[in-house]
Coordinates of all heavy atoms in Angstrom, one line a residue:
M1 N -14.6 27.7 9.0 CA -13.4 27.2 9.8 C -12.8 28.5 10.4 O -12.5 29.5 9.8 CB -12.4 26.5 8.8 CG -11.3 26.0 9.5 SD -10.4 24.6 8.7 CE -10.2 25.3 7.0
P2 N -12.6 28.4 11.8 CA -12.0 29.6 12.5 C -10.4 29.6 12.3 O -9.9 28.6 11.9 CB -12.4 29.4 13.9 CG -12.6 27.9 14.0 CD -13.1 27.4 12.6
C3 N -10.0 30.7 12.7 CA -8.4 30.7 12.7 C -7.9 29.7 13.7 O -8.4 29.7 14.8 CB -8.0 32.2 13.2 SG -6.3 32.3 13.5
Y4 N -7.0 28.9 13.3 CA -6.5 27.8 14.1 C -5.8 28.3 15.3 O -5.7 27.8 16.4 CB -5.5 26.9 13.4 CG -4.1 27.3 13.3 CD1 -3.2 26.9 14.4 CD2 -3.6 28.2 12.4 CE1 -1.9 27.3 14.4 CE2 -2.3 28.5 12.4 CZ -1.4 28.1 13.4 OH -0.1 28.5 13.4
R5 N -5.3 29.6 15.2 CA -4.4 30.1 16.3 C -5.1 30.9 17.4 O -4.9 30.6 18.6 CB -3.4 31.0 15.7 CG -2.2 31.4 16.6 CD -1.1 31.9 15.8 NE 0.1 32.3 16.5 CZ 0.1 33.5 17.2 NH1 -0.9 34.4 17.0 NH2 1.1 33.9 17.9
C6 N -6.1 31.8 17.0 CA -6.8 32.6 18.0 C -8.3 32.2 18.0 O -8.9 32.7 18.9 CB -6.5 34.1 17.7 SG -7.4 34.6 16.2
G7 N -8.7 31.4 17.0 CA -10.1 31.0 17.1 C -11.1 32.0 16.5 O -12.3 31.8 16.6
A8 N -10.5 33.1 15.9 CA -11.4 34.1 15.3 C -12.2 33.5 14.2 O -11.7 32.7 13.3 CB -10.7 35.3 14.8
R9 N -13.6 34.0 14.0 CA -14.3 33.5 12.9 C -14.1 34.4 11.6 O -14.0 35.6 11.8 CB -15.7 33.6 13.4 CG -16.1 32.6 14.3 CD -16.5 31.3 13.8 NE -16.5 30.2 14.8 CZ -16.8 29.0 14.5 NH1 -16.9 28.7 13.2 NH2 -16.8 28.0 15.4
Q10 N -14.1 33.8 10.6 CA -13.9 34.5 9.3 C -15.2 35.3 9.0 O -16.2 34.7 8.9 CB -13.6 33.5 8.2 CG -13.2 34.3 6.9 CD -12.7 33.2 5.8 OE1 -12.9 32.0 5.9 NE2 -12.1 33.7 4.8
T11 N -15.1 36.6 8.7 CA -16.2 37.3 8.3 C -16.3 37.3 6.8 O -15.2 37.1 6.1 CB -16.1 38.8 8.9 OG1 -14.8 39.3 8.4 CG2 -16.1 38.9 10.4
D12 N -17.4 37.5 6.4 CA -17.7 37.5 4.9 C -16.8 38.5 4.2 O -16.9 39.7 4.6 CB -19.1 37.6 4.5 CG -19.9 36.4 4.9 OD1 -19.4 35.3 5.0 OD2 -21.1 36.6 5.2
P13 N -16.0 38.3 3.3 CA -15.2 39.2 2.7 C -16.1 40.2 1.8 O -17.2 39.6 1.3 CB -14.3 38.4 1.7 CG -14.9 37.2 1.5 CD -15.7 36.9 2.8
V14 N -15.9 41.5 1.8 CA -16.7 42.3 1.2 C -16.7 42.0 -0.3 O -17.7 41.9 -1.0 CB -16.3 43.7 1.5 CG1 -17.2 44.8 0.7 CG2 -16.3 44.1 3.0
R15 N -15.6 42.0 -0.8 CA -15.4 41.8 -2.2 C -14.0 41.3 -2.5 O -13.0 41.7 -1.8 CB -15.7 43.0 -3.2 CG -15.8 42.7 -4.7 CD -16.5 43.8 -5.3 NE -18.0 44.0 -4.9 CZ -18.7 44.8 -5.4 NH1 -18.3 45.7 -6.4 NH2 -20.0 45.0 -5.0
G16 N -13.8 40.5 -3.6 CA -12.5 40.0 -3.9 C -11.8 39.0 -2.9 O -12.6 38.4 -2.2
A17 N -10.6 38.9 -3.0 CA -9.9 37.8 -2.3 C -10.1 38.0 -0.7 O -9.9 39.1 -0.3 CB -8.5 37.6 -2.8
S18 N -10.2 36.9 0.0 CA -10.2 36.9 1.4 C -8.8 37.3 1.9 O -7.7 36.7 1.3 CB -10.7 35.7 2.0 OG -10.5 35.6 3.4
P19 N -8.6 38.1 3.0 CA -7.3 38.3 3.6 C -6.7 37.2 4.3 O -5.6 37.1 4.9 CB -7.5 39.6 4.4 CG -9.0 39.5 4.7 CD -9.6 38.9 3.6
W20 N -7.7 36.2 4.6 CA -7.3 35.1 5.3 C -6.4 34.1 4.5 O -6.6 34.0 3.3 CB -8.5 34.2 5.8 CG -9.3 34.9 6.9 CD1 -9.6 36.2 6.9 CD2 -9.6 34.3 8.2 NE1 -10.3 36.5 8.1 CE2 -10.3 35.3 9.0 CE3 -9.4 33.0 8.8 CZ2 -10.7 35.1 10.2 CZ3 -9.9 32.9 10.0 CH2 -10.5 33.9 10.8
K21 N -5.6 33.5 5.2 CA -4.5 32.7 4.4 C -4.8 31.2 4.8 O -4.9 30.8 6.0 CB -3.2 33.1 4.9 CG -2.0 32.2 4.4 CD -0.6 32.8 4.9 CE 0.4 31.7 4.7 NZ 1.7 32.3 4.5
R22 N -4.8 30.4 3.7 CA -4.8 29.0 4.0 C -3.4 28.4 4.0 O -2.5 28.7 3.4 CB -5.5 28.3 2.8 CG -7.0 28.5 2.8 CD -7.8 27.6 1.9 NE -7.5 27.7 0.5 CZ -7.9 26.9 -0.5 NH1 -8.7 25.9 -0.1 NH2 -7.6 27.1 -1.7
G23 N -3.3 27.3 4.9 CA -2.0 26.7 5.2 C -2.3 25.3 5.7 O -3.5 24.9 5.9
V24 N -1.2 24.5 5.8 CA -1.3 23.2 6.4 C -0.4 23.1 7.5 O 0.8 23.5 7.5 CB -0.8 22.2 5.3 CG1 -0.8 20.7 5.9 CG2 -1.8 22.2 4.1
R25 N -1.0 22.7 8.6 CA -0.3 22.4 9.8 C -0.6 21.1 10.4 O -1.6 20.7 10.6 CB -0.8 23.5 10.8 CG -0.1 23.5 12.2 CD -0.5 24.7 12.9 NE 0.1 24.8 14.3 CZ -0.5 24.1 15.4 NH1 -1.6 23.6 15.3 NH2 0.1 24.3 16.5
H26 N 0.6 20.5 10.7 CA 0.5 18.9 11.2 C -0.5 18.1 10.2 O -1.4 17.5 10.7 CB -0.1 18.9 12.6 CG 0.8 19.7 13.6 ND1 0.4 19.9 14.9 CD2 2.1 20.1 13.4 CE1 1.5 20.6 15.4 NE2 2.5 20.7 14.6
E27 N -0.3 18.4 8.9 CA -0.9 17.5 7.9 C -2.5 17.8 7.9 O -3.2 17.1 7.4 CB -0.8 16.1 8.2 CG 0.6 15.6 8.4 CD 1.5 15.8 7.1 OE1 0.9 15.7 5.9 OE2 2.8 16.0 7.1
A28 N -2.9 19.0 8.4 CA -4.3 19.3 8.3 C -4.5 20.8 7.8 O -3.7 21.6 8.1 CB -5.0 19.3 9.8
Q29 N -5.5 20.9 7.0 CA -5.8 22.2 6.5 C -6.2 23.2 7.6 O -7.0 22.9 8.4 CB -7.0 22.1 5.5 CG -7.3 23.4 4.7 CD -6.2 23.7 3.6 OE1 -6.1 22.9 2.8 NE2 -5.5 24.8 3.7
V30 N -5.6 24.4 7.6 CA -5.9 25.4 8.6 C -6.1 26.7 7.9 O -5.7 26.9 6.7 CB -4.9 25.5 9.7 CG1 -4.8 24.2 10.5 CG2 -3.6 25.9 9.0
L31 N -6.8 27.6 8.6 CA -7.0 29.1 8.2 C -6.3 30.0 9.1 O -6.3 29.7 10.4 CB -8.4 29.4 8.0 CG -9.2 29.1 6.8 CD1 -10.6 29.4 6.9 CD2 -8.6 29.9 5.6
V32 N -5.6 31.0 8.7 CA -4.9 32.0 9.5 C -5.6 33.3 9.2 O -5.7 33.8 8.2 CB -3.4 31.9 9.2 CG1 -2.7 32.8 10.2 CG2 -2.9 30.6 9.3
C33 N -6.0 34.0 10.4 CA -6.7 35.3 10.2 C -5.5 36.3 9.9 O -4.4 36.1 10.2 CB -7.4 35.7 11.4 SG -6.3 36.1 12.9
P34 N -6.0 37.5 9.4 CA -4.9 38.5 9.0 C -4.1 38.9 10.1 O -2.9 39.2 10.0 CB -5.8 39.6 8.6 CG -7.0 39.0 8.1 CD -7.2 37.9 9.0
D35 N -4.6 39.0 11.4 CA -3.8 39.4 12.6 C -2.7 38.3 12.8 O -1.5 38.7 13.0 CB -4.7 39.4 13.7 CG -5.5 40.7 13.8 OD1 -5.2 41.6 13.0 OD2 -6.5 40.8 14.5
C36 N -3.1 37.0 12.8 CA -2.1 36.0 13.2 C -1.1 35.8 12.0 O 0.0 35.3 12.3 CB -2.8 34.7 13.5 SG -3.8 34.8 15.0
Q37 N -1.4 36.3 10.8 CA -0.4 36.1 9.7 C 0.9 36.8 10.2 O 1.9 36.5 9.5 CB -0.9 36.5 8.4 CG -2.1 35.6 7.9 CD -2.6 36.2 6.6 OE1 -2.0 36.9 5.9 NE2 -4.0 35.9 6.4
R38 N 0.8 37.8 10.9 CA 2.0 38.6 11.3 C 2.8 38.0 12.4 O 3.9 38.4 12.7 CB 1.6 40.0 11.8 CG 1.0 40.8 10.6 CD 0.8 42.3 11.1 NE -0.5 42.7 10.7 CZ -1.6 43.1 11.5 NH1 -1.4 42.9 12.7 NH2 -2.7 43.4 10.9
A39 N 2.3 36.9 13.0 CA 3.0 36.2 14.1 C 4.2 35.5 13.6 O 4.2 35.1 12.4 CB 2.1 35.3 14.8
Q40 N 5.2 35.4 14.4 CA 6.4 34.8 13.9 C 6.4 33.2 14.2 O 7.1 32.5 13.6 CB 7.7 35.3 14.6 CG 7.9 36.8 14.3 CD 8.2 37.0 12.9 OE1 9.0 36.4 12.3 NE2 7.5 38.0 12.3
D41 N 5.4 32.8 15.1 CA 5.4 31.3 15.4 C 4.3 30.7 14.8 O 3.5 30.0 15.6 CB 5.5 31.2 16.9 CG 4.3 31.9 17.5 OD1 3.7 32.8 16.8 OD2 3.8 31.7 18.7
L42 N 4.0 30.8 13.6 CA 2.8 30.3 13.0 C 2.8 28.7 13.0 O 1.8 28.0 13.0 CB 2.6 30.9 11.5 CG 1.9 32.2 11.5 CD1 1.8 32.6 10.1 CD2 0.6 32.1 12.3
D43 N 4.1 28.2 12.8 CA 4.2 26.7 13.0 C 3.5 25.9 11.8 O 2.9 24.9 12.1 CB 3.8 26.2 14.3 CG 4.1 24.8 14.6 OD1 5.1 24.4 13.9 OD2 3.4 24.1 15.3
L44 N 3.4 26.5 10.7 CA 2.8 26.0 9.6 C 3.8 25.0 8.8 O 4.9 25.2 8.8 CB 2.3 27.0 8.4 CG 1.2 27.9 8.9 CD1 0.9 29.0 7.8 CD2 -0.1 27.1 9.3
D45 N 3.1 23.9 8.2 CA 4.1 23.0 7.4 C 4.5 23.8 6.2 O 4.0 24.7 5.7 CB 3.2 21.8 7.0 CG 2.8 20.9 8.1 OD1 3.3 21.2 9.3 OD2 2.2 19.9 7.9
T46 N 5.8 23.5 5.8 CA 6.3 24.1 4.7 C 6.6 23.1 3.6 O 6.8 21.9 3.8 CB 7.7 24.8 5.0 OG1 8.6 23.8 5.6 CG2 7.5 25.9 5.9
C47 N 6.6 23.5 2.3 CA 7.0 22.7 1.2 C 8.5 22.3 1.2 O 9.3 23.1 1.4 CB 6.7 23.5 -0.1 SG 7.3 22.7 -1.6
P48 N 8.7 21.0 1.1 CA 10.1 20.5 1.1 C 11.0 21.1 0.1 O 12.1 20.9 0.1 CB 10.1 19.0 1.1 CG 8.6 18.7 0.5 CD 7.7 19.9 0.9
T49 N 10.3 21.5 -1.1 CA 11.1 21.9 -2.2 C 11.4 23.4 -2.2 O 12.4 23.8 -2.4 CB 10.3 21.5 -3.5 OG1 10.1 20.1 -3.5 CG2 11.1 22.0 -4.7
C50 N 10.3 24.2 -1.9 CA 10.5 25.7 -2.1 C 10.3 26.3 -0.7 O 10.3 27.6 -0.6 CB 9.6 26.2 -3.1 SG 7.8 26.3 -2.6
A51 N 10.0 25.6 0.4 CA 9.8 26.2 1.6 C 8.6 27.2 1.8 O 8.5 27.8 2.8 CB 11.0 26.9 2.1
S52 N 7.7 27.1 0.9 CA 6.5 27.9 1.0 C 5.5 27.3 1.9 O 5.5 26.2 2.2 CB 5.9 28.0 -0.4 OG 4.6 28.6 -0.3
T53 N 4.7 28.2 2.6 CA 3.7 27.7 3.5 C 2.4 27.8 2.8 O 1.3 27.5 3.4 CB 3.6 28.5 4.7 OG1 3.5 29.9 4.4 CG2 4.9 28.4 5.5
A54 N 2.3 28.1 1.4 CA 1.0 28.2 0.7 C 0.7 26.7 0.2 O 0.8 26.3 -0.8 CB 1.1 29.1 -0.4
L55 N 0.3 25.9 1.2 CA -0.1 24.5 1.0 C -1.5 24.2 1.1 O -2.3 24.9 1.9 CB 0.7 23.6 1.9 CG 2.1 23.8 2.1 CD1 2.7 22.8 3.1 CD2 2.9 23.6 0.8
I56 N -2.1 23.3 0.4 CA -3.5 22.9 0.5 C -3.4 21.4 0.8 O -2.8 20.6 0.2 CB -4.2 23.1 -0.8 CG1 -4.0 24.5 -1.4 CG2 -5.6 22.7 -0.8 CD1 -4.7 24.6 -2.7
C57 N -4.2 20.9 1.8 CA -4.3 19.6 2.2 C -5.7 19.1 1.8 O -6.8 19.6 2.1 CB -4.2 19.5 3.7 SG -4.2 17.7 4.2
R58 N -5.6 18.0 1.0 CA -6.9 17.5 0.6 C -6.8 15.9 0.2 O -5.8 15.5 -0.4 CB -7.4 18.2 -0.8 CG -6.5 18.0 -1.9 CD -6.9 18.6 -3.1 NE -5.9 18.4 -4.1 CZ -5.6 19.2 -5.1 NH1 -6.1 20.5 -5.1 NH2 -4.7 18.9 -6.0
L59 N -7.8 15.2 0.6 CA -7.7 13.7 0.2 C -6.5 13.0 0.5 O -6.0 12.3 -0.4 CB -8.1 13.6 -1.2 CG -9.6 14.0 -1.6 CD1 -9.8 14.0 -3.1 CD2 -10.7 13.2 -0.7
G60 N -5.8 13.3 1.6 CA -4.6 12.7 1.9 C -3.4 13.0 1.2 O -2.4 12.6 1.3
E61 N -3.6 14.2 0.5 CA -2.4 14.9 -0.3 C -2.3 16.2 0.2 O -3.1 17.0 0.7 CB -2.6 14.7 -1.8 CG -2.5 13.4 -2.4 CD -2.8 13.4 -3.9 OE1 -3.4 14.4 -4.3 OE2 -2.4 12.4 -4.5
V62 N -1.1 16.8 0.1 CA -0.7 18.1 0.4 C -0.1 18.7 -1.0 O 1.0 18.1 -1.5 CB 0.3 18.2 1.5 CG1 0.7 19.7 1.8 CG2 -0.3 17.6 2.8
E63 N -0.7 19.7 -1.5 CA -0.2 20.4 -2.7 C 0.3 21.7 -2.3 O -0.2 22.5 -1.6 CB -1.4 20.5 -3.6 CG -0.9 21.1 -5.0 CD -2.0 21.3 -5.9 OE1 -3.1 20.6 -5.8 OE2 -1.9 22.1 -6.9
C64 N 1.5 22.1 -2.9 CA 2.1 23.4 -2.7 C 1.6 24.3 -3.9 O 1.6 23.9 -5.0 CB 3.6 23.1 -2.9 SG 4.5 24.8 -2.9
R65 N 1.0 25.4 -3.4 CA 0.5 26.3 -4.4 C 1.6 27.1 -5.0 O 1.4 27.8 -6.1 CB -0.5 27.2 -3.8 CG -1.7 26.4 -3.3 CD -2.7 27.3 -2.6 NE -3.4 28.2 -3.6 CZ -4.2 29.1 -3.3 NH1 -4.2 29.6 -2.0 NH2 -4.9 29.9 -4.1
S66 N 2.8 27.2 -4.6 CA 3.8 27.9 -5.1 C 4.6 27.2 -6.3 O 4.8 27.6 -7.4 CB 4.9 28.2 -4.1 OG 4.3 29.1 -3.2
C67 N 5.0 25.9 -6.0 CA 5.8 25.2 -7.0 C 4.9 24.0 -7.6 O 5.3 23.3 -8.5 CB 7.0 24.7 -6.5 SG 7.0 23.3 -5.2
G68 N 3.8 23.6 -7.0 CA 3.0 22.6 -7.5 C 3.3 21.2 -7.1 O 2.7 20.2 -7.5
L69 N 4.2 21.1 -6.2 CA 4.6 19.7 -5.6 C 3.4 19.1 -4.9 O 2.8 19.8 -4.1 CB 5.7 19.9 -4.6 CG 6.3 18.6 -4.1 CD1 7.3 17.8 -5.0 CD2 6.9 18.8 -2.7
V70 N 3.3 17.9 -5.2 CA 2.1 17.2 -4.4 C 2.8 16.0 -3.7 O 3.6 15.2 -4.2 CB 1.1 16.6 -5.3 CG1 0.0 15.8 -4.6 CG2 0.4 17.7 -6.2
R71 N 2.6 15.9 -2.4 CA 3.1 14.8 -1.6 C 1.9 14.2 -0.8 O 1.0 14.8 -0.6 CB 4.2 15.3 -0.7 CG 3.7 16.2 0.4 CD 4.9 16.5 1.4 NE 4.5 17.5 2.4 CZ 3.8 17.2 3.6 NH1 3.4 16.0 3.7 NH2 3.5 18.2 4.4
L72 N 2.2 12.9 -0.4 CA 1.1 12.3 0.4 C 1.3 13.0 1.9 O 2.3 13.2 2.4 CB 1.4 10.8 0.6 CG 1.2 10.1 -0.7 CD1 1.6 8.6 -0.6 CD2 -0.3 10.2 -1.2
A73 N 0.1 13.1 2.5 CA 0.0 13.5 3.8 C 0.4 12.4 4.7 O 0.2 11.2 4.4 CB -1.4 14.0 4.3
Q74 N 1.2 12.7 5.8 CA 2.0 11.7 6.5 C 1.2 11.2 7.7 O 1.5 10.1 8.2 CB 3.3 12.2 6.9 CG 4.2 12.3 5.8 CD 5.5 13.1 6.1 OE1 5.7 13.5 7.3 NE2 6.2 13.5 5.1
A75 N 0.2 12.0 8.1 CA -0.5 11.6 9.4 C -1.4 10.3 9.0 O -2.1 10.2 8.1 CB -1.4 12.7 9.9
P76 N -1.3 9.3 9.8 CA -2.1 8.1 9.7 C -3.6 8.5 10.1 O -3.8 9.3 10.9 CB -1.5 7.0 10.6 CG -0.9 7.9 11.8 CD -0.4 9.1 11.1
S77 N -4.4 7.9 9.4 CA -5.8 8.1 9.7 C -6.2 7.5 11.0 O -5.6 6.5 11.4 CB -6.7 7.5 8.6 OG -6.5 6.1 8.5
P78 N -7.1 8.1 11.8 CA -7.4 7.6 13.1 C -7.9 6.2 13.1 O -8.7 5.7 12.2 CB -8.6 8.6 13.5 CG -8.5 9.8 12.7 CD -7.9 9.3 11.4
G79 N -7.5 5.4 14.0 CA -7.9 4.0 14.1 C -7.1 3.0 13.2 O -7.3 1.9 13.3
S80 N -6.1 3.6 12.5 CA -5.3 2.7 11.6 C -4.4 1.7 12.5 O -4.2 0.6 11.9 CB -4.5 3.5 10.6 OG -3.5 4.2 11.4
P81 N -3.9 2.0 13.6 CA -3.2 0.9 14.4 C -4.1 -0.3 14.6 O -3.7 -1.4 14.6 CB -2.8 1.7 15.7 CG -2.8 3.1 15.3 CD -3.9 3.3 14.3
D82 N -5.4 -0.1 15.0 CA -6.3 -1.0 15.3 C -6.5 -1.9 13.9 O -6.5 -3.0 13.9 CB -7.7 -0.6 15.7 CG -7.6 0.1 17.0 OD1 -6.5 -0.1 17.8 OD2 -8.5 0.8 17.5
L83 N -6.7 -1.2 12.9 CA -6.9 -1.9 11.5 C -5.6 -2.7 11.1 O -5.9 -3.8 10.8 CB -7.2 -0.9 10.5 CG -8.6 -0.3 10.4 CD1 -8.7 0.7 9.3 CD2 -9.6 -1.4 10.4
S84 N -4.5 -2.3 11.5 CA -3.4 -3.0 11.1 C -3.2 -4.3 12.0 O -2.7 -5.3 11.6 CB -2.0 -2.2 11.2 OG -1.8 -1.7 12.5
G85 N -3.6 -4.0 13.3 CA -3.7 -5.3 14.1 C -4.6 -6.2 13.7 O -4.3 -7.4 13.6
L86 N -5.8 -5.8 13.3 CA -6.8 -6.7 12.7 C -6.3 -7.4 11.4 O -6.4 -8.5 11.3 CB -8.1 -5.8 12.4 CG -9.2 -6.7 12.0 CD1 -9.8 -7.6 13.1 CD2 -10.4 -5.7 11.5
A87 N -5.7 -6.6 10.6 CA -5.1 -7.2 9.4 C -4.1 -8.3 9.7 O -4.1 -9.4 9.0 CB -4.4 -6.2 8.5
A88 N -3.3 -8.1 10.7 CA -2.3 -9.1 11.1 C -3.0 -10.3 11.6 O -2.5 -11.5 11.4 CB -1.3 -8.5 12.1
E89 N -4.2 -10.1 12.4 CA -4.8 -11.2 12.9 C -5.5 -12.1 11.8 O -5.4 -13.3 11.8 CB -5.9 -10.7 13.8 CG -5.6 -10.8 15.3 CD -6.8 -10.3 16.2 OE1 -7.9 -10.8 15.8 OE2 -6.6 -9.5 17.0
V90 N -6.0 -11.3 10.9 CA -6.7 -12.1 9.6 C -5.6 -12.8 9.0 O -5.8 -14.0 8.5 CB -7.4 -11.1 8.8 CG1 -7.8 -11.6 7.5 CG2 -8.6 -10.4 9.4
E91 N -4.4 -12.1 8.8 CA -3.4 -12.9 8.1 C -2.8 -14.1 8.8 O -2.7 -15.2 8.2 CB -2.2 -12.0 7.8 CG -1.2 -12.4 6.7 CD 0.0 -11.6 6.6 OE1 -0.2 -10.4 7.0 OE2 0.8 -12.0 5.9
A92 N -2.8 -14.1 10.1 CA -2.2 -15.2 10.8 C -3.4 -16.3 10.9 O -3.0 -17.4 10.6 CB -2.2 -14.8 12.3
A93 N -4.7 -15.9 10.8 CA -5.8 -16.9 10.8 C -5.7 -17.6 9.4 O -5.8 -18.8 9.1 CB -7.1 -16.2 10.9
L94 N -5.6 -16.8 8.3 CA -5.4 -17.3 7.0 C -4.3 -18.2 6.9 O -4.3 -19.4 6.2 CB -5.2 -16.2 5.9 CG -6.5 -15.6 5.4 CD1 -6.1 -14.4 4.5 CD2 -7.2 -16.7 4.7
N95 N -3.1 -17.9 7.5 CA -2.0 -18.7 7.4 C -2.2 -20.1 8.1 O -1.7 -21.1 7.6 CB -0.7 -18.0 8.1 CG -0.2 -16.9 7.2 OD1 -0.5 -16.8 6.1 ND2 0.6 -16.1 7.9
R96 N -2.9 -20.0 9.2 CA -3.2 -21.3 9.8 C -4.1 -22.2 8.9 O -3.8 -23.3 8.8 CB -4.0 -21.0 11.2 CG -3.1 -20.7 12.4 CD -3.8 -20.8 13.6 NE -4.9 -19.9 13.8 CZ -4.9 -18.6 14.1 NH1 -3.7 -18.0 14.4 NH2 -6.1 -17.9 14.2
V97 N -5.2 -21.6 8.5 CA -6.1 -22.2 7.4 C -5.3 -22.9 6.2 O -5.5 -24.0 5.9 CB -7.2 -21.3 7.0 CG1 -8.0 -22.0 5.9 CG2 -8.0 -21.0 8.2
L98 N -4.4 -22.0 5.8 CA -3.7 -22.5 4.5 C -2.5 -23.3 4.8 O -1.9 -23.8 4.0 CB -3.4 -21.3 3.7 CG -4.5 -20.5 3.2 CD1 -3.9 -19.2 2.5 CD2 -5.4 -21.2 2.2
G99 N -2.2 -23.5 6.1 CA -1.1 -24.4 6.5 C 0.2 -23.6 6.3 O 1.2 -24.4 6.3
R100 N 0.2 -22.4 6.2 CA 1.6 -21.6 5.9 C 2.2 -21.4 7.4 O 1.5 -21.5 8.4 CB 1.2 -20.3 5.3 CG 1.0 -20.4 3.8 CD 1.1 -19.0 3.2 NE -0.2 -18.5 2.8 CZ -0.6 -17.2 2.7 NH1 0.4 -16.3 3.1 NH2 -1.8 -16.9 2.3
K101 N 3.5 -21.1 7.3 CA 4.1 -20.8 8.6 C 4.5 -19.2 8.6 O 4.8 -18.8 7.6 CB 5.4 -21.6 8.8 CG 4.9 -23.0 9.0 CD 6.1 -24.0 9.5 CE 5.5 -25.3 9.9 NZ 6.6 -26.2 10.1
Ligands
ZN1 ZN1 -5.9 34.4 14.3
ZN2 ZN1 6.7 24.2 -3.1

């Protein structure tokens, strides 16, 4: 995964922890390269409890690595408006069949 901000590719770390930083932006996991970590306008999502940007996004959840808070990711999955419209249609059809109003 490249840096979300400048598009730089992550080089293999020689040894130990990568200097790249993981974060969540607009409910999606992103990587930030060491250069861009110094920028003031990173626009990363922050934890509502401790304001940390050390967040992990996975399986529709966002976990804070600082305080451990887990919340649901808020972005709807692609196509969900269509699905909800379909569900409404199915429900209306069921209501007709069952004689509900
Ligand atoms: Zn960068
Ligand atoms: Zn937190």
Side-chain angles (χ1 to χ4, degrees):
M1 185 156 49
C3 171
Y4 87 88
R5 192 166 176 275
C6 70
R9 292 272 166 185
Q10 187 172 16
T11 53
D12 290 333
V14 179
R15 190 165 293 183
S18 168
W20 285 54
K21 174 182 165 149
R22 287 199 291 176
V24 173
R25 182 171 180 267
H26 299 167
E27 310 291 335
Q29 184 78 60
V30 295
L31 271 177
V32 186
C33 75
D35 285 345
C36 290
Q37 286 174 33
R38 291 186 226 115
Q40 297 298 309
D41 59 341
L42 280 180
D43 191 27
L44 293 174
D45 290 359
T46 55
C47 172
T49 302
C50 70
S52 167
T53 56
L55 307 178
I56 306 172
C57 184
R58 62 174 182 219
L59 297 176
E61 290 180 340
V62 178
E63 179 180 344
C64 174
R65 297 178 74 193
S66 293
C67 72
L69 180 88
V70 176
R71 66 171 174 83
L72 291 177
Q74 286 164 11
S77 56
S80 60
D82 292 343
L83 282 178
S84 63
L86 186 66
E89 261 181 48
V90 168
E91 191 179 353
L94 270 177
N95 286 344
R96 277 196 300 276
V97 169
L98 299 174
R100 285 194 248 150
K101 291 196 171 164

